[in-house]
Each structure stands twice: as C-alpha cells, then as structure tokens.
Amino acid sequence: MSILKQIKTVLWSLIGIGRRQDMEDIPERGSPIVLLLVALVMVLVLVGTLAFVAHTVAG
C-alpha cells in the first residue's frame, strides 16, 4: 500500500471532498489503523507548524 494513497485518503476525509466511488473504495485502500496513524501524524505536523509560526511571529 502506497503511503501517498493513505495521505490522499486522509486529506479527502479531512476536507470532505472526493468522488463517491473513491469514498466507497476507502476500506480497500488499507487498514483503519494505518489511516489513523497517518491522520495522527498529519495533525501533529499541523499543530507543530502552527506553534512554530506563532512562536516566530511572537518572538
């Protein structure tokens, strides 16, 4: 399973766009555990980036 497909699936779910056919194929793209881990990493990267930007602007 390609990590790029996992990231694409998480991003589609996050912003709520995507074709119906693609959404129906999500269970076949990988295990839910992998999708959760990818989503967790993406959230941590987002929070880290926002914290870095806030620290840079405030400091």
Side-chain angles (χ1 to χ4, degrees), residues 1-20:
M1 187 54 49
S2 170
I3 192 70
L4 292 177
K5 286 185 181 180
Q6 299 289 339
I7 292 172
K8 190 175 178 182
T9 302
V10 170
L11 287 175
W12 279 349
S13 299
L14 179 67
I15 59 176
I17 63 169
R19 298 178 303 184
R20 180 172 298 274

Side-chain angles (χ1 to χ4, degrees), residues 3 16 27 30 33 54-55 58-59:
I3 192 70
I33 300 298
H55 180 72

Side-chain angles (χ1 to χ4, degrees), residues 1-57:
M1 187 54 49
S2 170
I3 192 70
L4 292 177
K5 286 185 181 180
Q6 299 289 339
I7 292 172
K8 190 175 178 182
T9 302
V10 170
L11 287 175
W12 279 349
S13 299
L14 179 67
I15 59 176
I17 63 169
R19 298 178 303 184
R20 180 172 298 274
Q21 179 63 31
D22 292 331
M23 293 300 167
E24 292 172 355
D25 293 339
I26 287 176
E28 297 157 5
R29 290 189 180 197
S31 71
I33 300 298
V34 175
L35 288 173
L36 286 173
L37 289 175
V38 169
L40 179 64
V41 168
M42 291 177 70
V43 166
L44 291 175
V45 168
L46 175 66
V47 169
T49 302
L50 290 175
F52 174 75
V53 169
H55 180 72
T56 303
V57 170

